[in-house]
Amino acid sequence: LLNGEQRDFLVDHYRTLTGDRSVSERMPFFLIAYLSYRVGYSSLAAKVLGNSPDALRFDSLVHRYRMMLLEEIHSQIRSAKRTRRRLVS
């Protein structure tokens, strides 16, 4: 996955090419959807491949994507709480 600086560059470039000014607001949803997909895909691949070396690699990807997904969900929860506090204040 892209780091923050790389993601900003990609989104800015996309925004320049398309004129889509609200893409940044949708990115958290897309990231959670992508990571969820990767967890499912990697999990299925690991199960289908049995005890092969590829299955072990996919299994490690399951754990990696799951951790990234949990971090992103927690980040979005914290962000939503900060936004709510500002609106209430």
Side-chain angles (χ1 to χ4, degrees):
L1 287 177
L2 304 176
N3 66 34
E5 186 177 314
Q6 293 167 329
R7 189 181 316 157
D8 291 344
F9 175 81
L10 178 64
V11 169
D12 288 342
H13 189 66
Y14 169 81
R15 187 180 298 120
T16 300
L17 291 174
T18 65
D20 183 352
R21 300 292 171 220
S22 64
V23 66
S24 294
E25 296 167 14
R26 296 188 312 273
M27 285 301 291
F29 170 80
F30 290 141
L31 183 55
I32 288 173
Y34 173 76
L35 291 170
S36 299
Y37 164 77
R38 294 304 301 168
V39 167
Y41 180 90
S42 299
S43 178
L44 179 62
K47 287 177 185 171
V48 168
L49 293 169
N51 291 330
S52 70
D54 283 339
L56 295 174
R57 285 188 281 275
F58 274 110
D59 192 49
S60 71
L61 286 174
V62 169
H63 297 289
R64 177 178 173 220
Y65 286 126
R66 187 177 290 145
M67 292 305 299
M68 293 169 75
L69 176 59
L70 290 172
E71 287 174 17
E72 186 61 29
I73 290 170
H74 288 294
S75 173
Q76 291 308 310
I77 290 170
R78 286 189 303 272
S79 178
K81 286 180 180 178
R82 283 191 302 270
T83 301
R84 185 175 49 209
R85 278 189 217 119
R86 278 193 300 249
L87 294 174
V88 171
S89 301

Coordinates of all heavy atoms in Angstrom, one line a residue:
L1 N 0.8 -1.2 0.0 CA 0.0 0.0 0.0 C 0.9 1.2 0.0 O 2.0 1.2 0.4 CB -0.9 0.0 1.2 CG -2.1 -1.0 1.2 CD1 -2.8 -0.9 2.6 CD2 -3.0 -0.8 0.1
L2 N 0.3 2.3 -0.4 CA 1.0 3.6 -0.4 C 1.1 4.2 0.9 O 0.2 4.1 1.8 CB 0.2 4.6 -1.3 CG 0.0 4.1 -2.8 CD1 -0.9 5.1 -3.5 CD2 1.2 3.8 -3.5
N3 N 2.2 4.9 1.2 CA 2.3 5.7 2.4 C 1.6 7.0 2.2 O 1.0 7.3 1.2 CB 3.8 5.9 2.8 CG 4.5 6.8 1.8 OD1 4.0 7.7 1.2 ND2 5.8 6.5 1.6
G4 N 1.5 7.8 3.3 CA 0.7 9.0 3.2 C 1.1 10.0 2.1 O 0.2 10.5 1.4
E5 N 2.4 10.2 2.0 CA 2.8 11.1 1.0 C 2.5 10.6 -0.4 O 2.1 11.3 -1.3 CB 4.4 11.3 1.1 CG 5.0 12.3 0.2 CD 6.4 12.5 0.5 OE1 6.8 12.6 1.6 OE2 7.2 12.6 -0.5
Q6 N 2.7 9.3 -0.7 CA 2.4 8.7 -2.0 C 0.9 8.8 -2.2 O 0.5 9.1 -3.4 CB 2.9 7.2 -2.0 CG 4.3 7.1 -2.0 CD 4.8 5.6 -1.7 OE1 4.1 4.9 -1.0 NE2 5.9 5.2 -2.2
R7 N 0.1 8.5 -1.2 CA -1.4 8.5 -1.4 C -1.8 10.0 -1.7 O -2.6 10.2 -2.6 CB -2.1 8.1 -0.1 CG -3.6 7.9 -0.3 CD -4.2 7.4 1.0 NE -3.5 6.4 1.6 CZ -3.7 6.1 2.9 NH1 -4.5 6.8 3.7 NH2 -3.0 5.1 3.5
D8 N -1.2 11.0 -1.0 CA -1.6 12.3 -1.3 C -1.2 12.7 -2.7 O -2.0 13.4 -3.4 CB -0.9 13.3 -0.3 CG -1.4 13.2 1.1 OD1 -2.5 12.6 1.3 OD2 -0.7 13.6 2.0
F9 N -0.1 12.3 -3.2 CA 0.3 12.6 -4.6 C -0.6 11.9 -5.6 O -1.1 12.6 -6.5 CB 1.8 12.0 -4.8 CG 2.2 12.2 -6.3 CD1 2.7 13.4 -6.7 CD2 2.1 11.1 -7.2 CE1 3.1 13.6 -8.0 CE2 2.5 11.3 -8.5 CZ 3.0 12.5 -8.9
L10 N -1.0 10.7 -5.4 CA -1.9 10.0 -6.3 C -3.3 10.7 -6.3 O -3.8 10.9 -7.4 CB -2.1 8.5 -5.8 CG -3.1 7.7 -6.7 CD1 -2.6 7.6 -8.1 CD2 -3.2 6.3 -6.0
V11 N -3.8 11.0 -5.1 CA -5.1 11.7 -5.0 C -5.0 13.1 -5.7 O -6.0 13.4 -6.5 CB -5.6 11.8 -3.6 CG1 -6.8 12.7 -3.5 CG2 -5.9 10.4 -3.1
D12 N -4.0 13.8 -5.4 CA -3.9 15.1 -6.1 C -3.8 15.0 -7.6 O -4.4 15.8 -8.3 CB -2.6 15.9 -5.5 CG -2.8 16.3 -4.1 OD1 -3.9 16.4 -3.6 OD2 -1.8 16.6 -3.5
H13 N -3.0 14.1 -8.1 CA -2.9 13.9 -9.5 C -4.3 13.4 -10.1 O -4.7 14.0 -11.2 CB -1.8 12.8 -9.8 CG -1.5 12.7 -11.2 ND1 -0.9 13.7 -11.9 CD2 -1.6 11.7 -12.1 CE1 -0.7 13.3 -13.2 NE2 -1.1 12.1 -13.3
Y14 N -4.9 12.5 -9.5 CA -6.3 12.1 -9.9 C -7.2 13.3 -9.9 O -8.0 13.5 -10.9 CB -6.8 11.0 -9.0 CG -8.2 10.7 -9.2 CD1 -8.6 9.8 -10.2 CD2 -9.2 11.2 -8.4 CE1 -10.0 9.6 -10.4 CE2 -10.6 10.9 -8.6 CZ -10.9 10.1 -9.6 OH -12.3 9.8 -9.8
R15 N -7.2 14.1 -8.9 CA -8.1 15.2 -8.8 C -7.8 16.2 -9.9 O -8.7 16.8 -10.5 CB -7.9 15.9 -7.4 CG -8.9 17.1 -7.2 CD -8.6 17.7 -5.8 NE -8.8 16.8 -4.7 CZ -7.9 16.5 -3.8 NH1 -6.7 17.0 -3.9 NH2 -8.2 15.6 -2.8
T16 N -6.5 16.4 -10.2 CA -6.2 17.4 -11.3 C -6.7 16.8 -12.6 O -7.2 17.6 -13.4 CB -4.6 17.5 -11.4 OG1 -4.2 18.0 -10.1 CG2 -4.2 18.4 -12.5
L17 N -6.5 15.6 -12.9 CA -7.0 15.0 -14.2 C -8.5 14.9 -14.3 O -9.0 15.1 -15.4 CB -6.4 13.6 -14.3 CG -4.9 13.5 -14.5 CD1 -4.4 12.0 -14.5 CD2 -4.4 14.1 -15.8
T18 N -9.2 14.7 -13.2 CA -10.6 14.4 -13.3 C -11.5 15.6 -12.9 O -12.7 15.6 -13.2 CB -11.0 13.2 -12.5 OG1 -10.8 13.5 -11.1 CG2 -10.3 12.0 -13.0
G19 N -10.9 16.5 -12.1 CA -11.7 17.5 -11.5 C -12.6 17.0 -10.3 O -13.5 17.8 -9.9
D20 N -12.4 15.8 -9.9 CA -13.2 15.2 -8.8 C -12.7 15.8 -7.4 O -11.7 15.4 -6.9 CB -13.0 13.7 -8.8 CG -13.8 13.0 -7.7 OD1 -14.4 13.7 -6.9 OD2 -13.8 11.8 -7.8
R21 N -13.4 16.8 -6.9 CA -13.0 17.5 -5.7 C -13.3 16.8 -4.4 O -12.8 17.1 -3.4 CB -13.6 18.9 -5.7 CG -13.1 19.8 -6.9 CD -11.7 20.1 -6.8 NE -11.2 20.7 -8.0 CZ -10.0 20.5 -8.6 NH1 -9.2 19.6 -8.0 NH2 -9.7 21.1 -9.7
S22 N -14.2 15.8 -4.5 CA -14.6 15.1 -3.2 C -13.9 13.7 -3.0 O -14.3 13.0 -2.1 CB -16.1 14.9 -3.3 OG -16.5 14.1 -4.3
V23 N -13.0 13.4 -3.9 CA -12.3 12.1 -3.8 C -11.7 11.8 -2.4 O -11.8 10.7 -1.9 CB -11.3 11.8 -4.9 CG1 -10.1 12.8 -4.8 CG2 -10.9 10.4 -4.9
S24 N -11.1 12.9 -1.8 CA -10.5 12.7 -0.5 C -11.5 12.3 0.6 O -11.1 11.6 1.5 CB -9.8 14.0 -0.1 OG -8.8 14.3 -0.9
E25 N -12.7 12.7 0.4 CA -13.7 12.4 1.4 C -14.1 10.9 1.3 O -14.6 10.3 2.3 CB -15.0 13.2 1.2 CG -14.7 14.7 1.5 CD -15.9 15.6 1.0 OE1 -17.0 15.1 0.7 OE2 -15.7 16.8 0.9
R26 N -14.0 10.3 0.1 CA -14.3 8.9 -0.1 C -13.2 8.0 0.1 O -13.4 6.7 0.3 CB -14.8 8.7 -1.6 CG -16.1 9.5 -1.8 CD -16.7 9.2 -3.2 NE -15.8 9.2 -4.3 CZ -15.5 10.3 -5.0 NH1 -16.1 11.4 -4.7 NH2 -14.7 10.2 -6.0
M27 N -11.9 8.5 0.2 CA -10.8 7.6 0.3 C -10.8 6.7 1.5 O -10.5 5.5 1.4 CB -9.5 8.4 0.3 CG -9.1 8.9 -1.1 SD -8.9 7.6 -2.3 CE -7.4 6.8 -1.7
P28 N -11.2 7.1 2.7 CA -11.3 6.2 3.9 C -12.2 5.0 3.6 O -11.8 3.9 3.9 CB -11.8 7.1 5.0 CG -11.4 8.5 4.6 CD -11.6 8.5 3.1
F29 N -13.3 5.2 3.0 CA -14.2 4.1 2.7 C -13.5 3.2 1.7 O -13.5 1.9 1.9 CB -15.5 4.6 2.1 CG -16.4 3.5 1.5 CD1 -17.1 2.7 2.3 CD2 -16.3 3.2 0.1 CE1 -17.9 1.7 1.8 CE2 -17.1 2.2 -0.4 CZ -17.9 1.4 0.4
F30 N -12.9 3.7 0.6 CA -12.2 2.9 -0.4 C -11.1 2.1 0.2 O -10.9 0.9 -0.1 CB -11.7 3.7 -1.5 CG -12.8 4.3 -2.4 CD1 -12.6 5.6 -2.9 CD2 -13.9 3.6 -2.8 CE1 -13.6 6.1 -3.8 CE2 -14.9 4.1 -3.6 CZ -14.7 5.4 -4.1
L31 N -10.4 2.7 1.1 CA -9.2 2.0 1.8 C -9.8 0.8 2.6 O -9.2 -0.3 2.6 CB -8.4 2.9 2.6 CG -7.2 2.3 3.3 CD1 -6.3 1.6 2.3 CD2 -6.4 3.4 4.0
I32 N -10.8 1.1 3.4 CA -11.4 0.0 4.2 C -11.9 -1.1 3.3 O -11.8 -2.3 3.6 CB -12.4 0.5 5.2 CG1 -11.7 1.3 6.3 CG2 -13.3 -0.6 5.8 CD1 -12.6 2.1 7.2
A33 N -12.6 -0.8 2.2 CA -13.1 -1.8 1.3 C -12.0 -2.6 0.7 O -12.1 -3.8 0.6 CB -14.0 -1.1 0.2
Y34 N -10.9 -1.9 0.3 CA -9.8 -2.6 -0.4 C -9.2 -3.6 0.6 O -8.9 -4.7 0.3 CB -8.8 -1.6 -0.9 CG -7.5 -2.2 -1.4 CD1 -7.5 -2.9 -2.6 CD2 -6.4 -2.3 -0.6 CE1 -6.4 -3.5 -3.1 CE2 -5.2 -2.9 -1.1 CZ -5.2 -3.5 -2.3 OH -4.1 -4.1 -2.8
L35 N -8.9 -3.1 1.8 CA -8.2 -4.0 2.8 C -9.1 -5.1 3.2 O -8.6 -6.3 3.3 CB -7.9 -3.2 4.0 CG -6.7 -2.2 3.8 CD1 -6.6 -1.3 5.0 CD2 -5.4 -2.9 3.5
S36 N -10.4 -4.9 3.2 CA -11.4 -6.0 3.5 C -11.3 -7.1 2.4 O -11.3 -8.3 2.6 CB -12.8 -5.5 3.7 OG -12.9 -4.6 4.7
Y37 N -11.3 -6.6 1.2 CA -11.2 -7.5 0.0 C -9.9 -8.3 0.1 O -9.9 -9.5 -0.1 CB -11.3 -6.7 -1.3 CG -10.8 -7.4 -2.5 CD1 -11.6 -8.4 -3.1 CD2 -9.5 -7.2 -3.0 CE1 -11.2 -9.1 -4.2 CE2 -9.1 -8.0 -4.1 CZ -9.9 -8.9 -4.7 OH -9.5 -9.6 -5.7
R38 N -8.8 -7.6 0.4 CA -7.5 -8.3 0.4 C -7.5 -9.4 1.5 O -6.9 -10.4 1.4 CB -6.4 -7.3 0.6 CG -6.2 -6.4 -0.6 CD -5.9 -7.1 -1.9 NE -4.8 -8.0 -1.8 CZ -4.4 -8.9 -2.7 NH1 -5.2 -9.1 -3.8 NH2 -3.4 -9.6 -2.5
V39 N -8.1 -9.1 2.7 CA -8.2 -10.1 3.8 C -8.9 -11.3 3.3 O -8.5 -12.4 3.4 CB -8.9 -9.5 5.0 CG1 -9.2 -10.6 6.0 CG2 -8.0 -8.5 5.7
G40 N -10.1 -11.1 2.6 CA -10.9 -12.2 2.1 C -10.2 -13.0 1.1 O -10.2 -14.2 1.1
Y41 N -9.6 -12.3 0.1 CA -8.9 -12.9 -1.0 C -7.7 -13.8 -0.5 O -7.6 -14.9 -0.9 CB -8.4 -11.9 -2.0 CG -7.7 -12.5 -3.2 CD1 -8.4 -12.9 -4.3 CD2 -6.3 -12.7 -3.2 CE1 -7.7 -13.4 -5.4 CE2 -5.7 -13.3 -4.2 CZ -6.4 -13.6 -5.4 OH -5.7 -14.2 -6.4
S42 N -6.9 -13.2 0.4 CA -5.7 -13.9 0.9 C -6.1 -15.1 1.7 O -5.5 -16.1 1.7 CB -4.9 -12.9 1.7 OG -4.4 -11.8 0.9
S43 N -7.2 -14.9 2.5 CA -7.7 -16.0 3.4 C -8.2 -17.2 2.5 O -7.8 -18.3 2.8 CB -8.8 -15.5 4.2 OG -9.3 -16.5 5.0
L44 N -8.9 -16.9 1.5 CA -9.4 -17.9 0.6 C -8.2 -18.6 -0.1 O -8.2 -19.8 -0.2 CB -10.4 -17.3 -0.4 CG -10.9 -18.3 -1.5 CD1 -11.8 -19.4 -0.8 CD2 -11.8 -17.6 -2.5
A45 N -7.3 -17.8 -0.6 CA -6.2 -18.4 -1.3 C -5.4 -19.3 -0.4 O -4.9 -20.4 -0.8 CB -5.3 -17.3 -1.8
A46 N -5.2 -18.9 0.9 CA -4.4 -19.7 1.8 C -5.1 -21.0 2.1 O -4.4 -22.1 2.2 CB -4.2 -18.9 3.2
K47 N -6.4 -21.0 2.2 CA -7.2 -22.2 2.5 C -7.1 -23.2 1.2 O -7.0 -24.4 1.4 CB -8.6 -21.9 2.8 CG -8.7 -21.3 4.2 CD -10.1 -20.9 4.5 CE -10.1 -20.2 5.9 NZ -11.4 -19.6 6.2
V48 N -7.3 -22.6 0.1 CA -7.3 -23.4 -1.1 C -6.0 -24.1 -1.4 O -5.9 -25.2 -1.9 CB -7.8 -22.5 -2.4 CG1 -7.6 -23.3 -3.7 CG2 -9.2 -22.1 -2.2
L49 N -4.9 -23.4 -1.1 CA -3.6 -23.8 -1.4 C -3.0 -24.8 -0.4 O -1.9 -25.4 -0.6 CB -2.6 -22.7 -1.6 CG -2.9 -21.8 -2.8 CD1 -2.1 -20.5 -2.7 CD2 -2.6 -22.5 -4.1
G50 N -3.8 -25.1 0.7 CA -3.4 -26.2 1.6 C -2.1 -25.8 2.4 O -1.9 -24.8 2.9
N51 N -1.2 -26.8 2.3 CA 0.1 -26.7 3.1 C 1.3 -26.2 2.2 O 2.4 -26.5 2.5 CB 0.4 -28.0 3.8 CG -0.5 -28.3 4.9 OD1 -1.1 -27.3 5.5 ND2 -0.8 -29.5 5.2
S52 N 1.0 -25.6 1.1 CA 2.1 -25.2 0.2 C 2.8 -24.0 0.7 O 2.3 -23.2 1.5 CB 1.5 -25.0 -1.2 OG 0.7 -23.8 -1.2
P53 N 4.0 -23.7 0.1 CA 4.7 -22.5 0.5 C 3.8 -21.2 0.1 O 3.8 -20.2 0.9 CB 5.9 -22.5 -0.4 CG 6.2 -24.0 -0.6 CD 4.8 -24.6 -0.7
D54 N 3.1 -21.3 -1.0 CA 2.3 -20.1 -1.3 C 1.2 -19.9 -0.3 O 0.8 -18.8 0.0 CB 1.6 -20.3 -2.7 CG 2.6 -20.1 -3.9 OD1 3.6 -19.4 -3.6 OD2 2.4 -20.5 -5.0
A55 N 0.6 -21.0 0.2 CA -0.4 -20.9 1.3 C 0.1 -20.2 2.5 O -0.5 -19.3 3.1 CB -0.9 -22.3 1.6
L56 N 1.4 -20.5 2.9 CA 2.0 -19.8 4.0 C 2.2 -18.3 3.7 O 2.0 -17.5 4.6 CB 3.3 -20.5 4.3 CG 3.2 -21.9 4.8 CD1 4.6 -22.5 5.0 CD2 2.5 -22.0 6.1
R57 N 2.5 -18.0 2.5 CA 2.7 -16.6 2.2 C 1.4 -15.8 2.2 O 1.3 -14.7 2.7 CB 3.4 -16.4 0.8 CG 4.9 -16.7 0.8 CD 5.5 -16.4 -0.5 NE 5.3 -17.4 -1.5 CZ 6.1 -18.5 -1.7 NH1 7.1 -18.7 -0.8 NH2 5.8 -19.3 -2.6
F58 N 0.3 -16.5 1.7 CA -1.0 -15.9 1.7 C -1.5 -15.7 3.2 O -2.1 -14.7 3.5 CB -2.0 -16.6 0.9 CG -2.0 -16.2 -0.6 CD1 -1.5 -17.1 -1.6 CD2 -2.5 -15.0 -1.0 CE1 -1.5 -16.7 -2.9 CE2 -2.5 -14.6 -2.3 CZ -2.0 -15.4 -3.3
D59 N -1.2 -16.7 4.0 CA -1.6 -16.6 5.4 C -0.9 -15.5 6.1 O -1.5 -14.7 6.9 CB -1.2 -17.9 6.1 CG -1.9 -18.0 7.5 OD1 -3.1 -17.8 7.5 OD2 -1.2 -18.3 8.4
S60 N 0.4 -15.2 5.8 CA 1.0 -14.0 6.3 C 0.4 -12.7 5.8 O 0.3 -11.8 6.6 CB 2.5 -14.1 6.1 OG 2.8 -13.8 4.8
L61 N 0.0 -12.7 4.6 CA -0.7 -11.6 4.0 C -2.1 -11.3 4.7 O -2.5 -10.2 5.0 CB -1.0 -11.7 2.5 CG 0.3 -11.5 1.6 CD1 -0.1 -11.8 0.2 CD2 0.8 -10.1 1.8
V62 N -2.8 -12.4 5.1 CA -4.0 -12.3 5.8 C -3.8 -11.5 7.1 O -4.5 -10.5 7.4 CB -4.6 -13.7 6.2 CG1 -5.8 -13.5 7.2 CG2 -5.1 -14.4 4.9
H63 N -2.7 -11.9 7.8 CA -2.4 -11.2 9.1 C -2.0 -9.7 8.9 O -2.5 -8.9 9.6 CB -1.4 -12.0 9.9 CG -1.8 -13.3 10.3 ND1 -2.8 -13.5 11.3 CD2 -1.5 -14.5 9.8 CE1 -3.0 -14.8 11.4 NE2 -2.2 -15.5 10.5
R64 N -1.2 -9.5 7.8 CA -0.8 -8.2 7.5 C -2.0 -7.3 7.2 O -2.1 -6.2 7.7 CB 0.2 -8.2 6.4 CG 0.7 -6.8 5.9 CD 1.7 -7.0 4.8 NE 2.0 -5.6 4.3 CZ 2.1 -5.4 3.0 NH1 2.1 -6.3 2.1 NH2 2.4 -4.1 2.6
Y65 N -2.8 -7.7 6.2 CA -4.0 -6.9 5.8 C -5.0 -6.8 7.0 O -5.6 -5.7 7.1 CB -4.7 -7.5 4.6 CG -3.9 -7.4 3.3 CD1 -3.6 -8.5 2.5 CD2 -3.5 -6.1 2.9 CE1 -2.9 -8.3 1.4 CE2 -2.8 -5.9 1.7 CZ -2.5 -7.0 1.0 OH -1.8 -6.8 -0.2
R66 N -5.1 -7.8 7.8 CA -6.1 -7.7 8.9 C -5.6 -6.6 9.9 O -6.4 -5.8 10.4 CB -6.2 -9.0 9.6 CG -7.2 -9.0 10.7 CD -7.4 -10.3 11.4 NE -8.0 -11.3 10.4 CZ -7.7 -12.6 10.3 NH1 -6.8 -13.1 11.2 NH2 -8.2 -13.4 9.5
M67 N -4.3 -6.5 10.2 CA -3.8 -5.5 11.1 C -3.9 -4.1 10.4 O -4.3 -3.2 11.1 CB -2.3 -5.8 11.4 CG -2.1 -7.0 12.2 SD -3.0 -7.0 13.8 CE -2.4 -5.6 14.6
M68 N -3.7 -4.0 9.1 CA -3.8 -2.7 8.5 C -5.3 -2.3 8.5 O -5.6 -1.1 8.7 CB -3.3 -2.8 7.0 CG -1.8 -3.0 7.0 SD -1.2 -3.5 5.3 CE -1.4 -1.9 4.5
L69 N -6.2 -3.2 8.3 CA -7.6 -2.9 8.3 C -8.1 -2.5 9.7 O -8.8 -1.4 9.8 CB -8.4 -4.2 7.9 CG -9.9 -4.1 7.9 CD1 -10.5 -3.0 7.0 CD2 -10.6 -5.4 7.6
L70 N -7.6 -3.1 10.7 CA -8.0 -2.7 12.1 C -7.4 -1.3 12.4 O -8.1 -0.5 13.0 CB -7.5 -3.7 13.1 CG -8.2 -5.1 13.1 CD1 -7.6 -6.1 14.0 CD2 -9.7 -4.9 13.5
E71 N -6.2 -1.1 12.0 CA -5.6 0.2 12.2 C -6.4 1.3 11.5 O -6.7 2.4 12.0 CB -4.2 0.3 11.7 CG -3.2 -0.5 12.6 CD -1.8 -0.6 12.0 OE1 -1.5 0.2 11.1 OE2 -1.1 -1.5 12.5
E72 N -6.8 1.0 10.3 CA -7.6 2.0 9.5 C -9.0 2.3 10.1 O -9.4 3.4 10.2 CB -7.7 1.6 8.0 CG -8.4 2.6 7.1 CD -7.6 3.9 7.1 OE1 -6.4 3.9 7.2 OE2 -8.3 5.0 6.8
I73 N -9.6 1.2 10.5 CA -10.9 1.4 11.2 C -10.8 2.2 12.5 O -11.6 3.1 12.7 CB -11.6 0.0 11.5 CG1 -12.0 -0.7 10.2 CG2 -12.8 0.1 12.4 CD1 -12.4 -2.1 10.3
H74 N -9.8 1.9 13.3 CA -9.6 2.7 14.5 C -9.3 4.1 14.2 O -9.7 5.0 14.9 CB -8.5 2.0 15.4 CG -8.9 0.8 16.0 ND1 -9.9 0.7 17.0 CD2 -8.5 -0.5 15.8 CE1 -10.1 -0.5 17.3 NE2 -9.3 -1.3 16.6
S75 N -8.5 4.3 13.1 CA -8.1 5.7 12.7 C -9.4 6.5 12.3 O -9.6 7.6 12.7 CB -7.1 5.6 11.6 OG -6.9 6.9 11.0
Q76 N -10.3 5.8 11.6 CA -11.5 6.5 11.2 C -12.4 6.8 12.3 O -13.1 7.8 12.4 CB -12.2 5.6 10.1 CG -11.5 5.6 8.8 CD -11.1 7.0 8.3 OE1 -12.0 7.9 8.2 NE2 -9.9 7.2 7.9
I77 N -12.5 5.9 13.3 CA -13.3 6.1 14.5 C -12.7 7.3 15.3 O -13.5 8.2 15.7 CB -13.3 4.8 15.4 CG1 -14.1 3.7 14.7 CG2 -13.9 5.2 16.8 CD1 -14.0 2.4 15.4
R78 N -11.4 7.4 15.4 CA -10.8 8.5 16.1 C -11.1 9.8 15.4 O -11.5 10.8 16.0 CB -9.3 8.3 16.3 CG -8.9 7.3 17.4 CD -7.5 7.3 17.6 NE -6.6 7.1 16.5 CZ -6.3 5.9 16.0 NH1 -6.7 4.8 16.7 NH2 -5.5 5.8 15.0
S79 N -11.0 9.8 14.1 CA -11.3 11.0 13.2 C -12.7 11.4 13.4 O -13.0 12.6 13.5 CB -10.9 10.6 11.8 OG -11.2 11.7 11.0
A80 N -13.6 10.5 13.4 CA -15.1 10.8 13.5 C -15.4 11.4 14.9 O -16.1 12.3 15.0 CB -15.9 9.5 13.3
K81 N -14.7 10.9 15.9 CA -14.9 11.4 17.2 C -14.4 12.9 17.3 O -15.0 13.7 17.9 CB -14.2 10.6 18.3 CG -14.9 9.3 18.6 CD -14.2 8.5 19.6 CE -14.9 7.2 19.9 NZ -14.2 6.3 20.9
R82 N -13.2 13.1 16.7 CA -12.7 14.5 16.7 C -13.6 15.4 16.0 O -13.9 16.6 16.4 CB -11.3 14.5 16.1 CG -10.2 14.0 16.9 CD -8.8 14.3 16.4 NE -8.6 13.8 15.0 CZ -8.1 12.6 14.8 NH1 -7.8 11.8 15.7 NH2 -8.0 12.2 13.5
T83 N -14.2 15.0 14.8 CA -15.1 15.8 14.1 C -16.3 16.1 14.9 O -16.8 17.2 14.9 CB -15.4 15.1 12.7 OG1 -14.2 14.9 12.0 CG2 -16.4 15.9 11.9
R84 N -16.9 15.1 15.5 CA -18.1 15.3 16.3 C -17.8 16.2 17.4 O -18.7 17.1 17.7 CB -18.6 13.9 16.8 CG -19.9 14.0 17.6 CD -20.5 12.7 18.0 NE -19.4 11.9 18.7 CZ -19.4 10.6 18.7 NH1 -20.3 9.9 18.1 NH2 -18.5 10.0 19.4
R85 N -16.7 16.2 18.1 CA -16.4 17.1 19.2 C -16.3 18.5 18.7 O -16.8 19.5 19.3 CB -15.0 16.7 19.8 CG -15.2 15.6 20.9 CD -13.9 15.5 21.6 NE -13.7 14.1 21.9 CZ -12.7 13.3 21.4 NH1 -11.7 13.9 20.7 NH2 -12.6 12.1 21.7
R86 N -15.7 18.7 17.5 CA -15.7 20.1 16.9 C -17.1 20.6 16.6 O -17.3 21.8 16.8 CB -14.8 20.1 15.7 CG -13.3 20.1 15.9 CD -12.6 20.4 14.7 NE -12.8 19.4 13.7 CZ -11.9 18.5 13.3 NH1 -10.7 18.6 13.8 NH2 -12.2 17.6 12.4
L87 N -17.9 19.7 16.1 CA -19.3 20.1 15.7 C -20.1 20.5 17.0 O -20.9 21.4 16.9 CB -20.0 19.1 14.9 CG -19.4 18.8 13.5 CD1 -20.1 17.6 12.9 CD2 -19.5 20.0 12.6
V88 N -19.9 19.8 18.0 CA -20.7 20.0 19.3 C -20.2 21.2 20.0 O -21.0 21.9 20.6 CB -20.6 18.7 20.2 CG1 -21.2 19.0 21.6 CG2 -21.2 17.6 19.5
S89 N -18.9 21.5 19.9 CA -18.3 22.7 20.6 C -18.8 24.0 20.1 O -19.1 24.2 19.1 CB -16.8 22.6 20.5 OG -16.3 21.5 21.1

